[in-house]
Amino acid sequence: MIFTTRFAPSPTGPLHLGHAFSALLASDLARQHEGQFLLRIEDIDRTRARSHWEEQIYDDLSWLGLTWPEPVLRQSTRMEVYEIALQQLWSRGLLYPCTCNRRDIAAATSAPQEGAPLLGPDGIVYPGTCREKAVRSGPMPRDIPLRLDMQKAAQTVKVKSEFHFFETGCGPCGSTGRVSFSDRELTDTIGDVVLSRRDMGTSYHLSVVLDDAAQNVTHVVRGQDLFDATRIHVVLQVLLDLPQPIYHHHKLIRDDAGKRLAKRDDARAISKYRDEGVSPADIRAMVGLDHR
Ligand code: GLU
Ligand code: ZN
């Protein structure tokens, strides 16, 4: 299997320094291992994806000196694949419909005796309001969010082992080793995540695992902020019988105040630096890839 990394941005805003770091690191690792670096456009959120942001991504990455094979995989062309996987999970009783919104979830978790609601990778851990009452038989409902029954998923996955593992590392700034997590952690700290969002027919979690598998990605290079999401991805890989890549979670690039960069931090946009006359080599130095 050829060593394969990828950079998978969503065209919903400008790429900033953190993205540059992720992309450069993924590309460097592939080069060091005589492998390949892929670009994938994660444009499933049709309400937020814009073609001008996609153009800007190609432009910024080329300017940084990155190259990738064409054509680029765009998630919006893969809806059928996502649908088939959802159907598979639905037919095994692993999904259930739920229309609770953020406010419902906040209300359900705010009882005084409960303490502060626990935060998972997708916000407050879902309290399971609809889990028992939802109908799970018949045709898969459409245009309604579908959640993964994490307890059932964990039990299914347990057939293989009681602990779930993923490997991390390889490269200059990540530790190397195996990370394990238990069923209990899955149900208590992640919970029933949404796998099919309304208006999307899929979700980041589902699409990303299916696409990494379809593109034979062997090493996923991503920010430390996605560490918990990786656990969801590992569970989905087992459920859907997909290979598990090695995960390299890298440090986050922070602003001068030590705050993590957000999509909205246009001040750190690559395009802004370009306008100011900063060079690609300067960017590499700024994110700590080269010392100057
Ligand atoms: N589209 C995701 C993002 O931009 C991909 C991250 C990942 O799965 O590594 O955050
Ligand atoms: Zn609900």
Side-chain angles (χ1 to χ4, degrees), residues 85-139:
L86 280 174
Q87 289 283 1
Q88 211 190 99
L89 297 173
W90 172 260
S91 66
R92 287 154 67 190
L94 288 160
L95 304 179
Y96 65 88
C98 163
T99 53
C100 297
N101 58 29
R102 263 176 228 273
R103 208 168 342 119
D104 300 329
I105 295 171
T109 49
S110 68
Q113 70 274 18
E114 301 283 337
L118 206 63
L119 284 182
D122 293 346
I124 296 178
V125 174
Y126 182 65
T129 320
C130 297
R131 189 187 303 127
E132 303 311 325
K133 64 178 187 231
V135 177
R136 300 189 193 200
S137 53

Short mmCIF file of all heavy atoms in Angstrom, two decimals, residues 85-139:
data_model
loop_
_atom_site.label_atom_id
_atom_site.label_comp_id
_atom_site.label_asym_id
_atom_site.label_seq_id
_atom_site.Cartn_x
_atom_site.Cartn_y
_atom_site.Cartn_z
N ALA A 85 -23.98 3.61 2.71
CA ALA A 85 -23.44 3.29 4.04
C ALA A 85 -24.49 3.54 5.12
O ALA A 85 -24.65 2.74 6.05
CB ALA A 85 -22.19 4.11 4.30
N LEU A 86 -25.24 4.63 4.97
CA LEU A 86 -26.29 4.93 5.95
C LEU A 86 -27.35 3.83 5.95
O LEU A 86 -27.81 3.39 7.01
CB LEU A 86 -26.97 6.26 5.62
CG LEU A 86 -26.25 7.54 6.05
CD1 LEU A 86 -26.99 8.75 5.51
CD2 LEU A 86 -26.12 7.63 7.58
N GLN A 87 -27.72 3.40 4.74
CA GLN A 87 -28.72 2.34 4.61
C GLN A 87 -28.25 1.08 5.33
O GLN A 87 -29.02 0.40 6.00
CB GLN A 87 -28.97 2.00 3.13
CG GLN A 87 -29.72 3.07 2.36
CD GLN A 87 -31.22 3.11 2.63
OE1 GLN A 87 -31.73 2.32 3.43
NE2 GLN A 87 -31.91 4.03 2.00
N GLN A 88 -26.97 0.81 5.18
CA GLN A 88 -26.39 -0.37 5.80
C GLN A 88 -26.50 -0.29 7.33
O GLN A 88 -26.90 -1.25 7.99
CB GLN A 88 -24.91 -0.40 5.39
CG GLN A 88 -24.32 -1.77 5.26
CD GLN A 88 -22.81 -1.66 5.10
OE1 GLN A 88 -22.07 -1.83 6.08
NE2 GLN A 88 -22.35 -1.37 3.89
N LEU A 89 -26.18 0.88 7.86
CA LEU A 89 -26.25 1.06 9.31
C LEU A 89 -27.71 1.05 9.79
O LEU A 89 -28.03 0.50 10.83
CB LEU A 89 -25.57 2.38 9.72
CG LEU A 89 -24.06 2.46 9.41
CD1 LEU A 89 -23.54 3.87 9.70
CD2 LEU A 89 -23.28 1.44 10.24
N TRP A 90 -28.57 1.66 8.97
CA TRP A 90 -30.00 1.70 9.31
C TRP A 90 -30.58 0.29 9.38
O TRP A 90 -31.29 -0.06 10.31
CB TRP A 90 -30.76 2.54 8.27
CG TRP A 90 -32.25 2.48 8.44
CD1 TRP A 90 -33.12 1.72 7.71
CD2 TRP A 90 -33.04 3.18 9.40
NE1 TRP A 90 -34.40 1.90 8.17
CE2 TRP A 90 -34.38 2.79 9.21
CE3 TRP A 90 -32.74 4.10 10.42
CZ2 TRP A 90 -35.43 3.29 9.99
CZ3 TRP A 90 -33.78 4.59 11.19
CH2 TRP A 90 -35.10 4.18 10.98
N SER A 91 -30.22 -0.52 8.39
CA SER A 91 -30.80 -1.87 8.33
C SER A 91 -30.31 -2.73 9.50
O SER A 91 -30.93 -3.73 9.84
CB SER A 91 -30.49 -2.52 6.99
OG SER A 91 -29.10 -2.74 6.90
N ARG A 92 -29.22 -2.34 10.11
CA ARG A 92 -28.72 -3.08 11.28
C ARG A 92 -29.23 -2.49 12.59
O ARG A 92 -28.78 -2.87 13.68
CB ARG A 92 -27.19 -3.09 11.27
CG ARG A 92 -26.65 -4.03 10.19
CD ARG A 92 -25.28 -3.63 9.71
NE ARG A 92 -24.26 -3.78 10.73
CZ ARG A 92 -23.02 -3.31 10.60
NH1 ARG A 92 -22.66 -2.67 9.50
NH2 ARG A 92 -22.15 -3.48 11.56
N GLY A 93 -30.15 -1.52 12.48
CA GLY A 93 -30.75 -0.93 13.68
C GLY A 93 -29.81 -0.04 14.47
O GLY A 93 -30.01 0.21 15.66
N LEU A 94 -28.77 0.46 13.80
CA LEU A 94 -27.77 1.27 14.50
C LEU A 94 -28.08 2.77 14.48
O LEU A 94 -27.40 3.56 15.13
CB LEU A 94 -26.39 1.02 13.90
CG LEU A 94 -25.77 -0.34 14.21
CD1 LEU A 94 -24.67 -0.70 13.22
CD2 LEU A 94 -25.22 -0.35 15.64
N LEU A 95 -29.09 3.15 13.68
CA LEU A 95 -29.42 4.57 13.57
C LEU A 95 -30.84 4.82 14.05
O LEU A 95 -31.68 3.93 13.98
CB LEU A 95 -29.33 5.03 12.10
CG LEU A 95 -28.02 4.82 11.35
CD1 LEU A 95 -28.17 5.31 9.91
CD2 LEU A 95 -26.88 5.55 12.04
N TYR A 96 -31.08 6.02 14.50
CA TYR A 96 -32.46 6.40 14.80
C TYR A 96 -32.67 7.89 14.51
O TYR A 96 -31.74 8.68 14.63
CB TYR A 96 -32.83 6.05 16.25
CG TYR A 96 -32.06 6.79 17.32
CD1 TYR A 96 -32.50 8.03 17.81
CD2 TYR A 96 -30.91 6.25 17.87
CE1 TYR A 96 -31.79 8.71 18.80
CE2 TYR A 96 -30.21 6.92 18.87
CZ TYR A 96 -30.65 8.14 19.32
OH TYR A 96 -29.95 8.80 20.30
N PRO A 97 -33.91 8.24 14.10
CA PRO A 97 -34.18 9.64 13.78
C PRO A 97 -34.32 10.48 15.05
O PRO A 97 -34.80 9.99 16.08
CB PRO A 97 -35.51 9.58 13.03
CG PRO A 97 -36.15 8.30 13.44
CD PRO A 97 -35.06 7.36 13.83
N CYS A 98 -33.91 11.72 14.95
CA CYS A 98 -33.99 12.63 16.10
C CYS A 98 -34.01 14.06 15.59
O CYS A 98 -33.13 14.45 14.82
CB CYS A 98 -32.78 12.41 17.00
SG CYS A 98 -32.49 13.75 18.17
N THR A 99 -35.01 14.80 16.01
CA THR A 99 -35.08 16.20 15.56
C THR A 99 -34.79 17.17 16.69
O THR A 99 -35.06 18.36 16.57
CB THR A 99 -36.48 16.53 14.98
OG1 THR A 99 -37.45 16.15 15.96
CG2 THR A 99 -36.74 15.78 13.69
N CYS A 100 -34.23 16.68 17.79
CA CYS A 100 -33.90 17.59 18.89
C CYS A 100 -32.92 18.64 18.37
O CYS A 100 -31.94 18.31 17.71
CB CYS A 100 -33.18 16.84 20.02
SG CYS A 100 -34.19 15.58 20.81
N ASN A 101 -33.21 19.90 18.68
CA ASN A 101 -32.25 20.94 18.28
C ASN A 101 -31.35 21.27 19.47
O ASN A 101 -31.48 20.71 20.55
CB ASN A 101 -32.98 22.17 17.74
CG ASN A 101 -33.95 22.76 18.77
OD1 ASN A 101 -33.73 22.65 19.97
ND2 ASN A 101 -35.01 23.36 18.29
N ARG A 102 -30.43 22.18 19.22
CA ARG A 102 -29.47 22.55 20.26
C ARG A 102 -30.16 22.96 21.57
O ARG A 102 -29.70 22.64 22.65
CB ARG A 102 -28.65 23.75 19.78
CG ARG A 102 -27.33 23.38 19.21
CD ARG A 102 -26.67 24.66 18.69
NE ARG A 102 -26.16 24.46 17.34
CZ ARG A 102 -24.96 23.98 17.09
NH1 ARG A 102 -24.14 23.68 18.07
NH2 ARG A 102 -24.56 23.80 15.85
N ARG A 103 -31.27 23.71 21.39
CA ARG A 103 -31.96 24.21 22.57
C ARG A 103 -32.57 23.05 23.36
O ARG A 103 -32.49 23.01 24.58
CB ARG A 103 -33.03 25.22 22.16
CG ARG A 103 -33.28 26.22 23.26
CD ARG A 103 -34.11 27.45 22.86
NE ARG A 103 -34.22 27.71 21.45
CZ ARG A 103 -35.37 27.73 20.79
NH1 ARG A 103 -36.50 27.46 21.40
NH2 ARG A 103 -35.39 28.03 19.50
N ASP A 104 -33.18 22.09 22.66
CA ASP A 104 -33.76 20.92 23.33
C ASP A 104 -32.68 20.18 24.12
O ASP A 104 -32.90 19.73 25.25
CB ASP A 104 -34.35 19.93 22.31
CG ASP A 104 -35.45 20.57 21.46
OD1 ASP A 104 -36.15 21.46 21.98
OD2 ASP A 104 -35.60 20.17 20.29
N ILE A 105 -31.53 20.04 23.48
CA ILE A 105 -30.45 19.28 24.11
C ILE A 105 -29.92 20.02 25.33
O ILE A 105 -29.70 19.43 26.39
CB ILE A 105 -29.33 19.00 23.08
CG1 ILE A 105 -29.87 18.08 21.98
CG2 ILE A 105 -28.10 18.39 23.74
CD1 ILE A 105 -28.96 17.89 20.79
N ALA A 106 -29.79 21.33 25.18
CA ALA A 106 -29.31 22.13 26.30
C ALA A 106 -30.30 22.02 27.46
O ALA A 106 -29.91 21.85 28.62
CB ALA A 106 -29.13 23.58 25.87
N ALA A 107 -31.61 22.08 27.13
CA ALA A 107 -32.64 22.01 28.18
C ALA A 107 -32.60 20.64 28.87
O ALA A 107 -32.69 20.54 30.10
CB ALA A 107 -34.02 22.27 27.58
N ALA A 108 -32.45 19.59 28.07
CA ALA A 108 -32.47 18.23 28.63
C ALA A 108 -31.26 17.95 29.50
O ALA A 108 -31.28 17.04 30.32
CB ALA A 108 -32.55 17.21 27.49
N THR A 109 -30.20 18.71 29.31
CA THR A 109 -28.97 18.43 30.07
C THR A 109 -28.73 19.46 31.17
O THR A 109 -27.69 19.43 31.81
CB THR A 109 -27.74 18.41 29.14
OG1 THR A 109 -27.76 19.58 28.33
CG2 THR A 109 -27.72 17.19 28.26
N SER A 110 -29.70 20.37 31.35
CA SER A 110 -29.42 21.46 32.29
C SER A 110 -30.06 21.27 33.66
O SER A 110 -30.08 22.19 34.46
CB SER A 110 -29.87 22.79 31.69
OG SER A 110 -31.29 22.78 31.62
N ALA A 111 -30.60 20.07 33.92
CA ALA A 111 -31.19 19.83 35.24
C ALA A 111 -30.14 20.09 36.31
O ALA A 111 -28.99 19.66 36.15
CB ALA A 111 -31.70 18.39 35.33
N PRO A 112 -30.52 20.79 37.40
CA PRO A 112 -29.51 21.21 38.39
C PRO A 112 -28.69 20.06 38.96
O PRO A 112 -27.50 20.22 39.20
CB PRO A 112 -30.35 21.87 39.49
CG PRO A 112 -31.75 21.96 38.99
CD PRO A 112 -31.87 21.21 37.72
N GLN A 113 -29.31 18.90 39.12
CA GLN A 113 -28.56 17.79 39.73
C GLN A 113 -27.54 17.18 38.78
O GLN A 113 -26.69 16.40 39.17
CB GLN A 113 -29.53 16.70 40.25
CG GLN A 113 -30.26 15.91 39.21
CD GLN A 113 -31.56 16.59 38.74
OE1 GLN A 113 -31.75 17.79 38.94
NE2 GLN A 113 -32.43 15.84 38.09
N GLU A 114 -27.64 17.55 37.51
CA GLU A 114 -26.76 16.93 36.50
C GLU A 114 -25.36 17.53 36.48
O GLU A 114 -24.45 16.95 35.92
CB GLU A 114 -27.37 17.09 35.10
CG GLU A 114 -28.75 16.49 34.92
CD GLU A 114 -28.71 14.99 34.78
OE1 GLU A 114 -27.66 14.47 34.38
OE2 GLU A 114 -29.73 14.34 35.07
N GLY A 115 -25.19 18.72 37.01
CA GLY A 115 -23.90 19.40 36.88
C GLY A 115 -23.75 19.96 35.48
O GLY A 115 -24.71 19.97 34.71
N ALA A 116 -22.57 20.43 35.15
CA ALA A 116 -22.36 21.04 33.82
C ALA A 116 -22.46 19.97 32.75
O ALA A 116 -21.93 18.88 32.93
CB ALA A 116 -21.00 21.71 33.77
N PRO A 117 -23.18 20.25 31.66
CA PRO A 117 -23.27 19.23 30.61
C PRO A 117 -21.90 18.93 30.01
O PRO A 117 -21.06 19.80 29.86
CB PRO A 117 -24.20 19.86 29.57
CG PRO A 117 -24.32 21.31 29.91
CD PRO A 117 -23.91 21.48 31.33
N LEU A 118 -21.70 17.67 29.69
CA LEU A 118 -20.42 17.22 29.16
C LEU A 118 -20.30 17.58 27.68
O LEU A 118 -21.26 17.40 26.93
CB LEU A 118 -20.37 15.70 29.32
CG LEU A 118 -18.99 15.10 29.42
CD1 LEU A 118 -18.29 15.63 30.67
CD2 LEU A 118 -19.12 13.58 29.49
N LEU A 119 -19.15 18.07 27.31
CA LEU A 119 -18.94 18.43 25.91
C LEU A 119 -18.21 17.32 25.17
O LEU A 119 -17.18 16.83 25.63
CB LEU A 119 -18.13 19.72 25.80
CG LEU A 119 -18.90 21.01 26.09
CD1 LEU A 119 -17.99 22.21 25.90
CD2 LEU A 119 -20.13 21.15 25.18
N GLY A 120 -18.77 16.91 24.04
CA GLY A 120 -18.13 15.90 23.20
C GLY A 120 -17.61 16.57 21.93
O GLY A 120 -17.62 17.79 21.83
N PRO A 121 -17.19 15.77 20.96
CA PRO A 121 -16.64 16.33 19.72
C PRO A 121 -17.63 17.22 18.96
O PRO A 121 -17.23 18.12 18.25
CB PRO A 121 -16.30 15.10 18.88
CG PRO A 121 -16.31 13.96 19.81
CD PRO A 121 -17.15 14.31 20.99
N ASP A 122 -18.92 16.98 19.11
CA ASP A 122 -19.92 17.76 18.38
C ASP A 122 -20.74 18.66 19.29
O ASP A 122 -21.89 18.96 19.01
CB ASP A 122 -20.88 16.83 17.62
CG ASP A 122 -20.18 16.08 16.51
OD1 ASP A 122 -19.05 16.46 16.14
OD2 ASP A 122 -20.76 15.09 16.00
N GLY A 123 -20.18 19.07 20.39
CA GLY A 123 -20.94 19.90 21.33
C GLY A 123 -21.40 19.05 22.50
O GLY A 123 -20.79 18.02 22.81
N ILE A 124 -22.49 19.48 23.13
CA ILE A 124 -22.99 18.76 24.31
C ILE A 124 -23.28 17.30 23.95
O ILE A 124 -23.89 17.03 22.92
CB ILE A 124 -24.30 19.42 24.84
CG1 ILE A 124 -24.01 20.85 25.33
CG2 ILE A 124 -24.92 18.58 25.96
CD1 ILE A 124 -25.25 21.59 25.81
N VAL A 125 -22.83 16.38 24.80
CA VAL A 125 -23.09 14.96 24.54
C VAL A 125 -24.60 14.73 24.60
O VAL A 125 -25.26 15.10 25.57
CB VAL A 125 -22.37 14.07 25.59
CG1 VAL A 125 -22.74 12.61 25.42
CG2 VAL A 125 -20.86 14.25 25.48
N TYR A 126 -25.14 14.15 23.55
CA TYR A 126 -26.59 13.98 23.42
C TYR A 126 -27.13 13.12 24.56
O TYR A 126 -26.63 12.02 24.80
CB TYR A 126 -26.90 13.34 22.06
CG TYR A 126 -28.38 13.16 21.83
CD1 TYR A 126 -29.22 14.26 21.72
CD2 TYR A 126 -28.95 11.89 21.72
CE1 TYR A 126 -30.58 14.11 21.51
CE2 TYR A 126 -30.31 11.72 21.50
CZ TYR A 126 -31.11 12.84 21.40
OH TYR A 126 -32.46 12.68 21.20
N PRO A 127 -28.16 13.62 25.26
CA PRO A 127 -28.65 12.88 26.43
C PRO A 127 -29.50 11.65 26.09
O PRO A 127 -29.96 10.96 27.00
CB PRO A 127 -29.48 13.93 27.18
CG PRO A 127 -29.93 14.90 26.12
CD PRO A 127 -28.84 14.92 25.09
N GLY A 128 -29.75 11.39 24.84
CA GLY A 128 -30.46 10.15 24.48
C GLY A 128 -31.97 10.27 24.50
O GLY A 128 -32.68 9.25 24.51
N THR A 129 -32.46 11.50 24.48
CA THR A 129 -33.91 11.75 24.57
C THR A 129 -34.75 10.87 23.64
O THR A 129 -35.76 10.31 24.05
CB THR A 129 -34.20 13.24 24.23
OG1 THR A 129 -33.19 14.05 24.83
CG2 THR A 129 -35.58 13.67 24.69
N CYS A 130 -34.33 10.75 22.40
CA CYS A 130 -35.15 10.04 21.40
C CYS A 130 -34.75 8.58 21.21
O CYS A 130 -35.37 7.87 20.43
CB CYS A 130 -35.05 10.75 20.05
SG CYS A 130 -35.70 12.42 20.10
N ARG A 131 -33.69 8.17 21.88
CA ARG A 131 -33.12 6.84 21.61
C ARG A 131 -34.13 5.70 21.72
O ARG A 131 -34.22 4.86 20.83
CB ARG A 131 -31.93 6.58 22.53
CG ARG A 131 -31.15 5.32 22.16
CD ARG A 131 -30.09 4.99 23.19
NE ARG A 131 -29.15 6.07 23.39
CZ ARG A 131 -28.86 6.61 24.57
NH1 ARG A 131 -29.41 6.16 25.67
NH2 ARG A 131 -28.00 7.59 24.65
N GLU A 132 -34.89 5.68 22.80
CA GLU A 132 -35.79 4.55 23.01
C GLU A 132 -37.08 4.66 22.21
O GLU A 132 -37.58 3.68 21.68
CB GLU A 132 -36.14 4.41 24.51
CG GLU A 132 -34.92 4.25 25.43
CD GLU A 132 -33.93 3.18 24.97
OE1 GLU A 132 -34.37 2.15 24.42
OE2 GLU A 132 -32.71 3.38 25.14
N LYS A 133 -37.61 5.88 22.10
CA LYS A 133 -38.92 6.02 21.47
C LYS A 133 -38.88 6.04 19.94
O LYS A 133 -39.89 5.83 19.28
CB LYS A 133 -39.64 7.26 22.00
CG LYS A 133 -38.97 8.57 21.67
CD LYS A 133 -39.80 9.74 22.19
CE LYS A 133 -39.23 11.07 21.72
NZ LYS A 133 -39.01 12.04 22.76
N ALA A 134 -37.71 6.28 19.36
CA ALA A 134 -37.65 6.41 17.90
C ALA A 134 -37.91 5.08 17.20
O ALA A 134 -37.54 4.02 17.70
CB ALA A 134 -36.28 6.94 17.50
N VAL A 135 -38.58 5.17 16.05
CA VAL A 135 -38.85 3.98 15.25
C VAL A 135 -37.62 3.67 14.40
O VAL A 135 -37.09 4.55 13.73
CB VAL A 135 -40.08 4.23 14.34
CG1 VAL A 135 -40.34 3.03 13.44
CG2 VAL A 135 -41.30 4.57 15.18
N ARG A 136 -37.18 2.44 14.47
CA ARG A 136 -35.95 2.09 13.73
C ARG A 136 -36.20 1.10 12.60
O ARG A 136 -35.26 0.62 11.98
CB ARG A 136 -34.93 1.46 14.67
CG ARG A 136 -34.53 2.37 15.80
CD ARG A 136 -33.36 1.78 16.54
NE ARG A 136 -33.16 2.48 17.80
CZ ARG A 136 -32.05 2.46 18.47
NH1 ARG A 136 -31.02 1.77 18.03
NH2 ARG A 136 -31.95 3.12 19.60
N SER A 137 -37.48 0.76 12.40
CA SER A 137 -37.75 -0.21 11.34
C SER A 137 -38.38 0.49 10.15
O SER A 137 -38.67 1.68 10.21
CB SER A 137 -38.69 -1.28 11.89
OG SER A 137 -39.82 -0.66 12.46
N GLY A 138 -38.61 -0.27 9.08
CA GLY A 138 -39.19 0.32 7.88
C GLY A 138 -38.14 1.05 7.07
O GLY A 138 -36.95 0.92 7.36
N PRO A 139 -38.59 1.79 6.05
CA PRO A 139 -37.61 2.49 5.23
C PRO A 139 -36.89 3.59 6.01
O PRO A 139 -37.46 4.16 6.94
CB PRO A 139 -38.45 3.11 4.10
CG PRO A 139 -39.87 2.90 4.44
CD PRO A 139 -39.98 2.01 5.64
#
